[in-house]
Amino acid sequence: MFESVRGRSVIVTGASKGIGRGIALCFGAAGCKVMVVSRNADEARGVVDEISAAGGTAASFSGDVTRRDDMQAMVDATLEAFGAVHVLCANAGVFPAAKLESMSEADFDKVVDTNLKGTFLSVQACLKPMQAQKFGRLILTSSITGPITGYPGWTHYGASKAGQLGFMRTAAIEVARFGITVNAIMPGNIATEGLSDMGPEYLRRMEAAIPMRRLGTVAEIGHAAVFLASDEAAYITGQGLVIDGGQTLPETALDGPEG
Ligand code: NAP
């Protein structure tokens, strides 16, 4: 599937677990060289081992997407390990809940710094090599929450995820002449370590609200990322791809036999 990605050098931020791990495993299986990035070095190395055990090529980098120096060092390490940076999956994100009336500036800054500023810093660090080689694929992990829906406790999160789409649209125009595309994946509720921290009641309510009656898998996000990185997706830029099992479709709560 999408053979054109074979051999490409791919950075995935937030790849030590959850959706990022799923994206990294899919690129590894597709024959790419994968740089697995997270703050926790041991967990990132664990994903490298998984990719290697499956016959793929991977390395890890310990870095924080909120730090410009770390993002530059991440790109330098990837150039040294793999000789190029063809694809960036800007996926690292956090989603702690805080109600608006009691949200602190620190709560707001943490979420926006990681999810939105982290997108900016990781994308910007990749631009130079991508522009020089006249090829690049920038794939952001946004969400349905913010761009399409709201959820109590996530004003900061929704703002950061909608902000990624605003960032994407202008970035896509600016980099198009270099053969670089910028797109976003907008997941619904995907079974990850981070989401399970929301607790069983949250997960039950989400499953009941999804027409397919199940959470998505990290591989279902990873396959879409591989497609967006492929030559087959060369003319797609500045777009958001919703992957949510139909969660954003119903006009009412799902309670009937057809629902
Ligand atoms: P997760 O299971 O909590 O994993 C988050 C990953 O991001 C980890 O690898 C974590 O590793 C890394 N990370 C967090 N802060 C970082 C930082 N400052 N610098 C570098 N890495 C950092 O989360 P997830 O559910 O997979 O979510 C991943 C992305 O998908 C997020 O952007 C999230 O908003 C989005 N998303 C998730 C869902 C869902 O249902 N799960 C739905 C829509 C959108 P370290 O802590 O070691 O750094």
Side-chain angles (χ1 to χ4, degrees):
M1 193 176 53
F2 306 129
E3 276 294 310
S4 58
V5 301
R6 186 167 290 283
R8 283 184 183 156
S9 165
V10 181
I11 297 174
V12 186
T13 68
S16 63
K17 53 190 170 194
I19 288 175
R21 172 179 159 273
I23 292 172
L25 293 177
C26 282
F27 275 110
C32 296
K33 294 169 271 191
V34 187
M35 184 59 80
V36 176
V37 181
S38 68
R39 290 166 302 181
N40 184 308
D42 287 343
E43 288 181 352
R45 277 194 289 271
V47 175
V48 170
D49 290 345
E50 278 189 87
I51 293 171
S52 305
T57 304
S60 65
F61 179 83
S62 171
D64 185 332
V65 296
T66 68
R67 300 170 66 95
R68 184 188 287 269
D69 290 352
D70 282 12
M71 293 300 91
Q72 189 54 56
M74 168 187 83
V75 169
D76 292 345
T78 307
L79 289 171
E80 189 167 334
F82 302 145
V85 178
H86 298 112
V87 182
L88 166 72
C89 296
N91 167 82
V94 292
F95 36 93
K99 285 286 175 61
L100 182 54
E101 60 192 18
S102 55
M103 184 181 291
S104 67
E105 274 190 72
D107 293 335
F108 186 88
D109 288 346
K110 181 181 176 188
V111 170
V112 172
D113 278 1
T114 309
N115 300 359
L116 186 54
K117 186 176 159 189
T119 296
F120 155 60
L121 291 176
S122 55
V123 164
Q124 192 186 50
C126 291
L127 282 187
K128 214 185 219 175
M130 287 185 175
Q131 288 176 342
Q133 73 202 2
K134 291 260 187 275
F135 178 89
R137 294 282 191 270
L138 301 165
I139 302 166
L140 319 182
T141 306
S142 175
S143 179
I144 58 170
T145 312
I148 302 177
T149 63
Y151 193 80
W154 279 347
T155 51
H156 48 0
Y157 179 76
S160 72
K161 293 287 145 179
Q164 285 181 293
L165 298 190
F167 171 91
M168 168 188 77
R169 293 189 182 101
T170 292
I173 296 169
E174 290 190 18
V175 301
R177 68 197 166 94
F178 297 105
I180 302 171
T181 65
V182 195
N183 292 289
I185 292 171
M186 298 159 69
N189 281 273
I190 309 301
T192 67
E193 291 85 338
L195 200 75
S196 65
D197 290 344
M198 299 291 295
E201 177 57 17
Y202 172 89
L203 299 179
R204 190 198 61 73
R205 284 171 55 206
M206 288 302 141
E207 278 169 359
I210 299 169
M212 290 188 184
R213 298 292 194 212
R214 66 173 177 85
L215 303 183
T217 67
V218 295
E220 285 167 332
I221 304 301
H223 293 314
V226 172
F227 165 64
L228 288 172
S230 71
D231 287 352
E232 287 84 347
Y235 205 53
I236 302 172
T237 196
Q239 303 304 309
L241 177 58
V242 174
I243 305 178
D244 72 346
Q247 182 169 357
T248 50
L249 299 176
E251 290 189 32
T252 63
L254 300 175
D255 50 9
E258 301 86 24

